[in-house]
Amino acid sequence: MQIPLRALICSLYLLVLAGPTWATGWPSALDASLARAGIPRSASALLVQDVDAPVPLLAHRSEDAMNPASVMKLVTAYVALDRLGPAFTWKTRLASDADIRNGTLHGDLFITGSGDPRLSRERLWLLLRELRTQGIRRIAGDVVGDRSFFRLPPHDPAAFDLRPLRPYNAGADALTVDYGAVRVRLIPTATGVLASSDPLPAGLALDSRIKHPINGGTGNCGDPLAQLVASKTDTPAGVRLTLDGTLPQGCTEPFDWNLAPLPPDRLFEGVFRTLWRELGGEIGGRFRDGRTPPTAHQLAETVSPNLPEVLRDMNKWSNNVIARQVLATLGALAEPGEDSVPAGARQIQRTLAANGIETAGLVVENGAGLSRSERISATTLGHLLLAAWKSRTMPELMSSLPIAGVDGTARRRLPNSPAAGFAHVKTGTLNDVRSLAGYVLARNGHRYAVVLMINHPNADAARDAQDALLEWVAGL
């Protein structure tokens, strides 16, 4: 009996979709890379699937939940776009119920935050300029920070890795500025390093003790921060940030060091006070937390970039603070009055389930992946990538991902490779964890969802394995 040509083609296509088994279809370059790194196949989870196919081309341990590191940001971004929409913005408002007479606001100034992840010193300066243009020079009462949009427990920046000054350890806050960090400008001199911050937050002092090596020599600059350390000390006047260590003579160009010596509320107060003073303003009262009264009228407002632009910063550069803010925002809007972070995690679970995405084994702690407890399976990530590809916000999610060999955290990946420019992927890195998830446009014109997670003590050596997988998929 002769088989119709169309039926034969369909049968062959289904065989291709079913794909080679793990034993026979394992890409040889990936296998060799993992072997060189001393990583067994049992420490990895893999999924490769054509975005238009019903079944994976490759799958290994895809149902097992593993630590994804920063790939968890992909989940947070997908849910944020689905629930908040691409036009969503955050607003920070200044308001008061007091009169303005003779250049003085005769009462309190209320600052209402909504968790804006992108509130910067520049935008805060413009916001305060609006007060000055309304004739306000002196605030007679208190400056009241209304952080009630988020409900958050106390945050310990040292809890994750005992590095409380690292910017990625800054916690979420409804009123935060500059990602909760201070940018210190370091200028090498003949004898050491000059340190400055513009603006230097009120209540923070800088003390640079960085020197060149005693034995002299030019030295290769490499990473100028490699031999530097920072510490902070509480003083009666505020916080003293001390910078110490050695800088090779070969480091002659200025460079920046981002640190988080102040909790979000004190950083916001410090930047506010400095900027207001530079604008010629005065404050008669003190800074404190409180609620904006319903009788207060708005004086000024600053609006964040829209959600897709914020998510590009989050994913392209793996910004943990943005991810924390986005998760807390999801929780605050979904369950007002509840702890914003667990509420955000529940919103993620509900949204994935509502979109037909498997959630077995999913654990969300902070939405950033900076966690030892977060877990997700390759199947969940794969289903998310497939659902996102068919969603109304696919362009926004796609454009947030780093492009291999082009930009973001993947800009140095796969140079001069067939995959360069064709792989939009989010990567994740923690001790004992290397992960990757995203899309690859292959030589055959098909786009594939790709997931690879490795949890193993030798995971640090897994970068070549990630690249080998991306190149293999790009060459299909």
Side-chain angles (χ1 to χ4, degrees), residues 25-155:
W26 177 264
S28 59
L30 174 60
D31 201 20
S33 295
L34 288 179
R36 286 194 299 271
I39 299 172
R41 296 179 181 180
S42 60
S44 63
L46 170 71
L47 187 140
V48 177
Q49 184 167 345
D50 188 320
V51 296
D52 294 317
V55 294
L57 179 65
L58 284 177
H60 171 70
R61 292 189 64 211
S62 60
E63 303 294 332
D64 296 347
M66 300 180 71
N67 190 324
S70 283
V71 165
M72 186 59 81
K73 295 182 179 70
L74 186 59
V75 180
T76 303
Y78 170 81
V79 173
L81 285 168
D82 184 89
R83 304 309 302 171
L84 306 179
F88 180 83
T89 57
W90 289 262
K91 297 177 175 64
T92 304
R93 295 186 173 99
L94 302 182
S96 182
D97 53 6
D99 294 332
I100 303 170
R101 299 190 308 274
N102 301 320
T104 298
L105 179 67
H106 291 272
D108 298 333
L109 176 71
F110 297 91
I111 311 173
T112 307
S114 65
D116 185 350
R118 283 279 303 271
L119 183 61
S120 63
R121 71 195 75 178
E122 293 86 358
R123 284 178 51 212
L124 184 56
W125 180 82
L126 289 171
L127 189 64
L128 297 182
R129 281 277 301 170
E130 285 195 52
L131 286 187
R132 293 293 284 117
T133 59
Q134 294 178 42
I136 300 173
R137 186 186 64 81
R138 185 172 187 273
I139 301 166
D142 296 337
V143 178
V144 182
D146 186 345
R147 293 179 160 79
S148 60
F149 180 68
F150 287 167
R151 183 176 178 183
L152 301 168
H155 175 72

Side-chain angles (χ1 to χ4, degrees), residues 318-377:
S318 203
N319 190 299
N320 293 290
V321 176
I322 293 179
R324 291 180 186 272
Q325 297 286 114
V326 172
L327 182 67
T329 300
L330 287 168
L333 292 173
E335 302 178 29
E338 298 298 321
D339 189 318
S340 300
V341 174
R346 290 190 292 270
Q347 180 70 311
I348 284 179
Q349 292 272 1
R350 289 192 296 265
T351 302
L352 296 187
N355 284 282
I357 298 169
E358 175 63 54
T359 61
L362 176 64
V363 178
V364 180
E365 181 186 8
N366 53 41
L370 195 68
S371 166
R372 289 297 173 187
S373 63
E374 290 197 323
R375 293 290 185 274
I376 194 169
S377 69

